[in-house]
Amino acid sequence: MKTLSLVSSLVVLCTAAASAFGQQYPTHNVTMMVPYAAGGPTDTVARVVAQAMGKPLGQSVIVENHPSAGGILAPELVKNAKPDGYTLLIHHIGMATTPALYRSLRFDALSDFEYIGLINDVPMTIIARGNFPAKDFNEFLAYIKANKDKMSYANAGIGAASHLCGMLFMSAIQTDLLTVAYKGTAPAMHDLLGGRVDFMCDQTTNTTAQIRSGKVKAYGVTSKQRVSSLPDVPTLDEQGMKGFEVGIWHGLYAPKGTPKPVLDKLVSSMQEALKDQSVRKRFADLGAETYPLERQTPAALQQHLKAEIDKWAPIIKKARVYAD
Ligand code: ASP
């Protein structure tokens, strides 16, 4: 009896302590880890969200880049961080595709994290160096096939969105090309602009400005419909690659065991940030679509992640020969 009342007093104390901690949280800066290089598309989304979350949180959210090939380092770091709400992870579709691409990972997307919510969905674009000789998608395909031993495709390593898109593209055209891996598509874009690699597939959050200024050539978008910020770029689907559709969704995570009151605050702060008209406009200008409020939730992110893992595993298995 005595033991029981001691245990229940302890439970009450712990709950009270967690809720007091939650009420005070945050008392200092929060870190948002990004799995890819600064200046790239994931980093761009992170910086917009981080800045806007600072206001409702009452503390700055500092973006920290932990680039690694395929983006597999940052999730591991966040998994091992103290679950106190001061270390968060922003990541994209790679959370769902890496399990099918790696024999072993040092984190489990489905059990090592708390979910905060879905952020936005970003289409990709197939782009080539500015002096690429093809004037349209058909010429582009013909050129690639005719010069396949000389072509190079840039990506951000196995498990990155650019890797997924490239693998699906090569599989669709049944042509294996040389890939060059970077720790993010910011450095990849740098080499594409310098003409050191031939083409890549990357999010509109990184490619819109370069396409509009004509510094790179765009041959198609990976969304079902054209993107309103790039109305002249046809979809791959409408150019004959029936059903070719890749959308890069982003989510926000915290380490497993983060107290509920802290998570609640993070959820409401993220939702507040995504309501901000300047955030929505910035995303729309870059071709990104903000998820509706009902999907900016822990349950929606968890459900989506699981559904995406199940969706991509068999597709990746089929395209795997083009993975390296
Ligand atoms: N766009 C990259 C990718 O392929 C990542 C990045 O640099 O943000 O996943």
Side-chain angles (χ1 to χ4, degrees), residues 15 25 30 37 44 54 64 73 80 84 92 101 107 128 158 162 214 231 233-234 256 307 316 318-319:
T15 316
Y25 168 85
V30 173
T44 297
E64 221 176 76
L73 176 63
N80 294 324
D84 56 6
H92 61 25
L101 285 160
F107 62 90
I158 296 177
S162 46
V233 184
K256 191 83 191 169
I316 290 173
K318 249 177 80 191

Side-chain angles (χ1 to χ4, degrees), residues 36-37 40-43 92 124 156 160-163 183-186 201-203:
Y36 299 102
T42 314
D43 180 71
H92 61 25
M124 302 190 89
S162 46
H163 172 265
K183 288 185 178 178
T185 43
C201 177
D202 199 21
Q203 288 101 302

Side-chain angles (χ1 to χ4, degrees), residues 8 27 77 172 192 220-221 248 284 286:
S8 49
T27 55
L77 293 174
L192 190 75
V221 288
I248 307 307
L286 293 173

